[in-house]
Amino acid sequence: MTPQETQIVRFAAQGMSNRDIAAQLFLSSRTVGYHLYKAYPKLGVGSRGELAALV
């Protein structure tokens, strides 16, 4: 995973919304969603809920 994807996944696993993550990293919420979309298959998960179990 890219460093950006890793950071976004960590925030998402903590329960932050895309909007909150975007504000924290100075990105758009659509960009955050795109990074999560790309990270899910790399991690073998299908939802945000499964991220918390991995991290």
Side-chain angles (χ1 to χ4, degrees):
M1 282 195 329
T2 67
Q4 187 86 341
E5 288 171 349
T6 302
Q7 193 171 28
I8 289 171
V9 164
R10 284 191 183 137
F11 283 137
Q14 293 172 4
M16 292 177 70
S17 69
N18 285 10
R19 181 176 279 178
D20 293 336
I21 296 168
Q24 185 79 23
L25 300 177
F26 304 103
L27 300 170
S28 74
S29 59
R30 289 189 66 173
T31 301
V32 171
Y34 173 77
H35 283 297
L36 287 172
Y37 170 79
K38 297 298 277 182
Y40 284 0
K42 294 176 184 178
L43 295 170
V45 298
S47 70
R48 212 179 193 100
E50 294 177 33
L51 287 178
L54 286 178
V55 180

